[in-house]
Amino acid sequence: MDCCCFVSAAWYFTLLYLLVHCLCFIFADADLTLLWSSVTGHSPETKLRRLVVWVTGASSGIGEELAYQLAKCGSRLVLSARREDELNRVKRCCLERSNLKDEDILVLPLDLLQRTSHADKAKAVVQYFGHIDVLINNGGRSQRSLFEETSLDVYQALMELNVLGTISITKHVLPYMTQRGSGSIVTVSSITGLVGAPLSTGYAASKHALQGFFNSLRIELTEYPNILISTVCPGPVQSQIVHNAFTEDLSKPVKAPGLQEHKMATSRCVRLMLVGIANGVKEMWIAQQPFLFVYYAWQYVPTFALFLTSKLGRRRVENFRAGLVGIQIIIKCISLTLETFPVLQQQRPSKQFLLFLKGSV
């Protein structure tokens, strides 16, 4: 009798456990490990205070927001990007929003393509602050073009900037961390570092390369348990990355960057990143639904994920070629969704989902 009661209790507990996790997943905007850390783990304000954090790509978007939130945490900052005037603007805002002093923030102009300068840049940071606690590799550019129409020069530029530039900075910073036996190297990858995406073949290739590189580097550094190698894989986030994206030609700008309202707020994305850094999370998935579902689908049911992304990706390419806008795209996307998932006929597709298919993500 007692055994039957125990089995029944275990069964009901398991069902309750699964139900709670399903509900959490429906409303989640990050992987469950990261969200659990945000509830039960260390706070960034405690763990990151007075640490020396070097942020590349700090003049706009995620990098700029990282600077502001890190300043509020009390971190000492190194701000790097190509545009020194924008870096000085970000520094002023950091000082206004925090208790940091002028000497707590170093503006260090940096071009990821000028790899011969990276050793001197890393040395300059160490000479100024004495060491580097955290490197956040955030610099890079995206892409918005079809493979058949894109020059090979674009692919070379993406690899030179996103991959080799990031690896170069890491190579010159890591020895200072191994010498001290501690530190964190955090690299901003993307959902396209895990999942293929149309119109972003070169960008996805560069992010897949970063995923492979840092996953391998993490294993090489197992003798340094206090050195964190972490990758961040955000979904659509409000930033300037689409405005600055490569197109089919190096000199051609993006015509219509698309709307930003449906994307995750930059402040929320960065907050989750800092939680992950503070708690030593090795890989972070940060995205609102339905994009978060895509991460898990590719991880656990890749055959289904391939079928789903192929269906949606094909329509996205067609829309990109046709230049569809406004009500046309909404009608076509709703039709595709209802054909693919009849169970959704009584539900209203989210604005996020429709705009993703349009190609504005």
PDB file of all heavy atoms in Angstrom, residues 189-211:
ATOM      1  N   SER A 189      27.228  35.826 -30.125  1.00  0.00           N
ATOM      2  CA  SER A 189      26.973  35.094 -31.361  1.00  0.00           C
ATOM      3  C   SER A 189      25.577  35.488 -31.851  1.00  0.00           C
ATOM      4  O   SER A 189      25.261  36.674 -31.912  1.00  0.00           O
ATOM      5  CB  SER A 189      27.093  33.590 -31.101  1.00  0.00           C
ATOM      6  OG  SER A 189      26.836  32.845 -32.267  1.00  0.00           O
ATOM      7  N   SER A 190      24.732  34.525 -32.149  1.00  0.00           N
ATOM      8  CA  SER A 190      23.397  34.824 -32.677  1.00  0.00           C
ATOM      9  C   SER A 190      22.596  33.536 -32.758  1.00  0.00           C
ATOM     10  O   SER A 190      23.163  32.430 -32.701  1.00  0.00           O
ATOM     11  CB  SER A 190      23.512  35.449 -34.071  1.00  0.00           C
ATOM     12  OG  SER A 190      22.261  35.494 -34.733  1.00  0.00           O
ATOM     13  N   ILE A 191      21.294  33.667 -32.927  1.00  0.00           N
ATOM     14  CA  ILE A 191      20.482  32.496 -33.217  1.00  0.00           C
ATOM     15  C   ILE A 191      20.975  31.835 -34.496  1.00  0.00           C
ATOM     16  O   ILE A 191      20.910  30.609 -34.650  1.00  0.00           O
ATOM     17  CB  ILE A 191      18.991  32.878 -33.336  1.00  0.00           C
ATOM     18  CG1 ILE A 191      18.118  31.627 -33.536  1.00  0.00           C
ATOM     19  CG2 ILE A 191      18.749  33.867 -34.455  1.00  0.00           C
ATOM     20  CD1 ILE A 191      16.633  31.906 -33.534  1.00  0.00           C
ATOM     21  N   THR A 192      21.539  32.627 -35.415  1.00  0.00           N
ATOM     22  CA  THR A 192      22.058  32.067 -36.663  1.00  0.00           C
ATOM     23  C   THR A 192      23.386  31.348 -36.454  1.00  0.00           C
ATOM     24  O   THR A 192      23.901  30.744 -37.399  1.00  0.00           O
ATOM     25  CB  THR A 192      22.230  33.164 -37.727  1.00  0.00           C
ATOM     26  OG1 THR A 192      23.156  34.146 -37.259  1.00  0.00           O
ATOM     27  CG2 THR A 192      20.914  33.827 -38.051  1.00  0.00           C
ATOM     28  N   GLY A 193      23.949  31.396 -35.251  1.00  0.00           N
ATOM     29  CA  GLY A 193      25.100  30.571 -34.935  1.00  0.00           C
ATOM     30  C   GLY A 193      24.701  29.140 -34.637  1.00  0.00           C
ATOM     31  O   GLY A 193      25.546  28.241 -34.597  1.00  0.00           O
ATOM     32  N   LEU A 194      23.401  28.923 -34.439  1.00  0.00           N
ATOM     33  CA  LEU A 194      22.873  27.591 -34.151  1.00  0.00           C
ATOM     34  C   LEU A 194      21.929  27.103 -35.236  1.00  0.00           C
ATOM     35  O   LEU A 194      21.802  25.901 -35.454  1.00  0.00           O
ATOM     36  CB  LEU A 194      22.123  27.605 -32.809  1.00  0.00           C
ATOM     37  CG  LEU A 194      22.903  28.087 -31.581  1.00  0.00           C
ATOM     38  CD1 LEU A 194      21.967  28.229 -30.389  1.00  0.00           C
ATOM     39  CD2 LEU A 194      24.041  27.144 -31.254  1.00  0.00           C
ATOM     40  N   VAL A 195      21.272  28.043 -35.914  1.00  0.00           N
ATOM     41  CA  VAL A 195      20.215  27.716 -36.873  1.00  0.00           C
ATOM     42  C   VAL A 195      20.499  28.449 -38.179  1.00  0.00           C
ATOM     43  O   VAL A 195      20.823  29.642 -38.170  1.00  0.00           O
ATOM     44  CB  VAL A 195      18.838  28.145 -36.328  1.00  0.00           C
ATOM     45  CG1 VAL A 195      17.747  27.814 -37.326  1.00  0.00           C
ATOM     46  CG2 VAL A 195      18.568  27.504 -34.974  1.00  0.00           C
ATOM     47  N   GLY A 196      20.378  27.760 -39.280  1.00  0.00           N
ATOM     48  CA  GLY A 196      20.533  28.418 -40.568  1.00  0.00           C
ATOM     49  C   GLY A 196      19.402  29.395 -40.830  1.00  0.00           C
ATOM     50  O   GLY A 196      18.271  29.191 -40.381  1.00  0.00           O
ATOM     51  N   ALA A 197      19.710  30.478 -41.560  1.00  0.00           N
ATOM     52  CA  ALA A 197      18.694  31.497 -41.839  1.00  0.00           C
ATOM     53  C   ALA A 197      18.885  32.036 -43.247  1.00  0.00           C
ATOM     54  O   ALA A 197      20.002  32.376 -43.636  1.00  0.00           O
ATOM     55  CB  ALA A 197      18.790  32.637 -40.825  1.00  0.00           C
ATOM     56  N   PRO A 198      17.798  32.124 -44.032  1.00  0.00           N
ATOM     57  CA  PRO A 198      17.909  32.697 -45.367  1.00  0.00           C
ATOM     58  C   PRO A 198      18.264  34.168 -45.306  1.00  0.00           C
ATOM     59  O   PRO A 198      17.996  34.839 -44.312  1.00  0.00           O
ATOM     60  CB  PRO A 198      16.507  32.488 -45.953  1.00  0.00           C
ATOM     61  CG  PRO A 198      15.612  32.422 -44.760  1.00  0.00           C
ATOM     62  CD  PRO A 198      16.414  31.759 -43.690  1.00  0.00           C
ATOM     63  N   LEU A 199      18.892  34.644 -46.346  1.00  0.00           N
ATOM     64  CA  LEU A 199      19.341  36.033 -46.489  1.00  0.00           C
ATOM     65  C   LEU A 199      20.558  36.337 -45.609  1.00  0.00           C
ATOM     66  O   LEU A 199      21.030  37.465 -45.571  1.00  0.00           O
ATOM     67  CB  LEU A 199      18.224  37.038 -46.152  1.00  0.00           C
ATOM     68  CG  LEU A 199      16.864  36.791 -46.792  1.00  0.00           C
ATOM     69  CD1 LEU A 199      15.882  37.878 -46.379  1.00  0.00           C
ATOM     70  CD2 LEU A 199      16.983  36.724 -48.293  1.00  0.00           C
ATOM     71  N   SER A 200      21.057  35.329 -44.884  1.00  0.00           N
ATOM     72  CA  SER A 200      22.171  35.548 -43.953  1.00  0.00           C
ATOM     73  C   SER A 200      23.198  34.434 -44.044  1.00  0.00           C
ATOM     74  O   SER A 200      23.771  34.020 -43.032  1.00  0.00           O
ATOM     75  CB  SER A 200      21.641  35.646 -42.518  1.00  0.00           C
ATOM     76  OG  SER A 200      20.699  36.679 -42.367  1.00  0.00           O
ATOM     77  N   THR A 201      23.451  33.931 -45.244  1.00  0.00           N
ATOM     78  CA  THR A 201      24.350  32.783 -45.375  1.00  0.00           C
ATOM     79  C   THR A 201      25.748  33.091 -44.853  1.00  0.00           C
ATOM     80  O   THR A 201      26.349  32.282 -44.133  1.00  0.00           O
ATOM     81  CB  THR A 201      24.430  32.329 -46.841  1.00  0.00           C
ATOM     82  OG1 THR A 201      24.691  33.481 -47.678  1.00  0.00           O
ATOM     83  CG2 THR A 201      23.140  31.666 -47.283  1.00  0.00           C
ATOM     84  N   GLY A 202      26.280  34.259 -45.203  1.00  0.00           N
ATOM     85  CA  GLY A 202      27.612  34.618 -44.734  1.00  0.00           C
ATOM     86  C   GLY A 202      27.643  34.938 -43.252  1.00  0.00           C
ATOM     87  O   GLY A 202      28.564  34.541 -42.531  1.00  0.00           O
ATOM     88  N   TYR A 203      26.624  35.644 -42.788  1.00  0.00           N
ATOM     89  CA  TYR A 203      26.536  35.977 -41.365  1.00  0.00           C
ATOM     90  C   TYR A 203      26.382  34.706 -40.533  1.00  0.00           C
ATOM     91  O   TYR A 203      27.053  34.532 -39.507  1.00  0.00           O
ATOM     92  CB  TYR A 203      25.341  36.900 -41.148  1.00  0.00           C
ATOM     93  CG  TYR A 203      25.138  37.341 -39.715  1.00  0.00           C
ATOM     94  CD1 TYR A 203      26.061  38.164 -39.079  1.00  0.00           C
ATOM     95  CD2 TYR A 203      24.005  36.949 -39.004  1.00  0.00           C
ATOM     96  CE1 TYR A 203      25.873  38.574 -37.772  1.00  0.00           C
ATOM     97  CE2 TYR A 203      23.804  37.360 -37.700  1.00  0.00           C
ATOM     98  CZ  TYR A 203      24.742  38.167 -37.086  1.00  0.00           C
ATOM     99  OH  TYR A 203      24.552  38.569 -35.786  1.00  0.00           O
ATOM    100  N   ALA A 204      25.496  33.798 -40.983  1.00  0.00           N
ATOM    101  CA  ALA A 204      25.311  32.539 -40.262  1.00  0.00           C
ATOM    102  C   ALA A 204      26.602  31.727 -40.254  1.00  0.00           C
ATOM    103  O   ALA A 204      26.954  31.111 -39.240  1.00  0.00           O
ATOM    104  CB  ALA A 204      24.177  31.733 -40.895  1.00  0.00           C
ATOM    105  N   ALA A 205      27.316  31.719 -41.369  1.00  0.00           N
ATOM    106  CA  ALA A 205      28.585  30.990 -41.435  1.00  0.00           C
ATOM    107  C   ALA A 205      29.586  31.550 -40.431  1.00  0.00           C
ATOM    108  O   ALA A 205      30.292  30.802 -39.749  1.00  0.00           O
ATOM    109  CB  ALA A 205      29.154  31.054 -42.849  1.00  0.00           C
ATOM    110  N   SER A 206      29.640  32.870 -40.324  1.00  0.00           N
ATOM    111  CA  SER A 206      30.591  33.491 -39.389  1.00  0.00           C
ATOM    112  C   SER A 206      30.219  33.181 -37.945  1.00  0.00           C
ATOM    113  O   SER A 206      31.096  32.932 -37.105  1.00  0.00           O
ATOM    114  CB  SER A 206      30.642  35.005 -39.615  1.00  0.00           C
ATOM    115  OG  SER A 206      29.442  35.645 -39.203  1.00  0.00           O
ATOM    116  N   LYS A 207      28.928  33.154 -37.637  1.00  0.00           N
ATOM    117  CA  LYS A 207      28.503  32.859 -36.264  1.00  0.00           C
ATOM    118  C   LYS A 207      28.649  31.374 -35.937  1.00  0.00           C
ATOM    119  O   LYS A 207      28.985  31.018 -34.806  1.00  0.00           O
ATOM    120  CB  LYS A 207      27.054  33.320 -36.055  1.00  0.00           C
ATOM    121  CG  LYS A 207      26.881  34.841 -36.135  1.00  0.00           C
ATOM    122  CD  LYS A 207      27.762  35.566 -35.126  1.00  0.00           C
ATOM    123  CE  LYS A 207      27.529  37.064 -35.133  1.00  0.00           C
ATOM    124  NZ  LYS A 207      28.352  37.784 -34.132  1.00  0.00           N
ATOM    125  N   HIS A 208      28.400  30.499 -36.914  1.00  0.00           N
ATOM    126  CA  HIS A 208      28.680  29.080 -36.707  1.00  0.00           C
ATOM    127  C   HIS A 208      30.172  28.871 -36.438  1.00  0.00           C
ATOM    128  O   HIS A 208      30.551  28.034 -35.604  1.00  0.00           O
ATOM    129  CB  HIS A 208      28.252  28.263 -37.930  1.00  0.00           C
ATOM    130  CG  HIS A 208      26.825  27.825 -37.916  1.00  0.00           C
ATOM    131  ND1 HIS A 208      25.773  28.686 -38.136  1.00  0.00           N
ATOM    132  CD2 HIS A 208      26.265  26.604 -37.694  1.00  0.00           C
ATOM    133  CE1 HIS A 208      24.632  28.014 -38.071  1.00  0.00           C
ATOM    134  NE2 HIS A 208      24.900  26.748 -37.793  1.00  0.00           N
ATOM    135  N   ALA A 209      31.010  29.608 -37.156  1.00  0.00           N
ATOM    136  CA  ALA A 209      32.458  29.499 -36.948  1.00  0.00           C
ATOM    137  C   ALA A 209      32.828  29.905 -35.527  1.00  0.00           C
ATOM    138  O   ALA A 209      33.657  29.255 -34.872  1.00  0.00           O
ATOM    139  CB  ALA A 209      33.199  30.364 -37.967  1.00  0.00           C
ATOM    140  N   LEU A 210      32.227  30.993 -35.035  1.00  0.00           N
ATOM    141  CA  LEU A 210      32.515  31.430 -33.669  1.00  0.00           C
ATOM    142  C   LEU A 210      32.043  30.399 -32.651  1.00  0.00           C
ATOM    143  O   LEU A 210      32.735  30.141 -31.648  1.00  0.00           O
ATOM    144  CB  LEU A 210      31.849  32.781 -33.399  1.00  0.00           C
ATOM    145  CG  LEU A 210      32.460  33.989 -34.100  1.00  0.00           C
ATOM    146  CD1 LEU A 210      31.664  35.253 -33.780  1.00  0.00           C
ATOM    147  CD2 LEU A 210      33.920  34.183 -33.680  1.00  0.00           C
ATOM    148  N   GLN A 211      30.873  29.809 -32.886  1.00  0.00           N
ATOM    149  CA  GLN A 211      30.386  28.776 -31.975  1.00  0.00           C
ATOM    150  C   GLN A 211      31.382  27.619 -31.904  1.00  0.00           C
ATOM    151  O   GLN A 211      31.744  27.141 -30.819  1.00  0.00           O
ATOM    152  CB  GLN A 211      29.027  28.249 -32.445  1.00  0.00           C
ATOM    153  CG  GLN A 211      27.876  29.219 -32.297  1.00  0.00           C
ATOM    154  CD  GLN A 211      27.447  29.422 -30.852  1.00  0.00           C
ATOM    155  OE1 GLN A 211      27.298  30.551 -30.394  1.00  0.00           O
ATOM    156  NE2 GLN A 211      27.250  28.350 -30.127  1.00  0.00           N
TER     157      GLN A 211
END
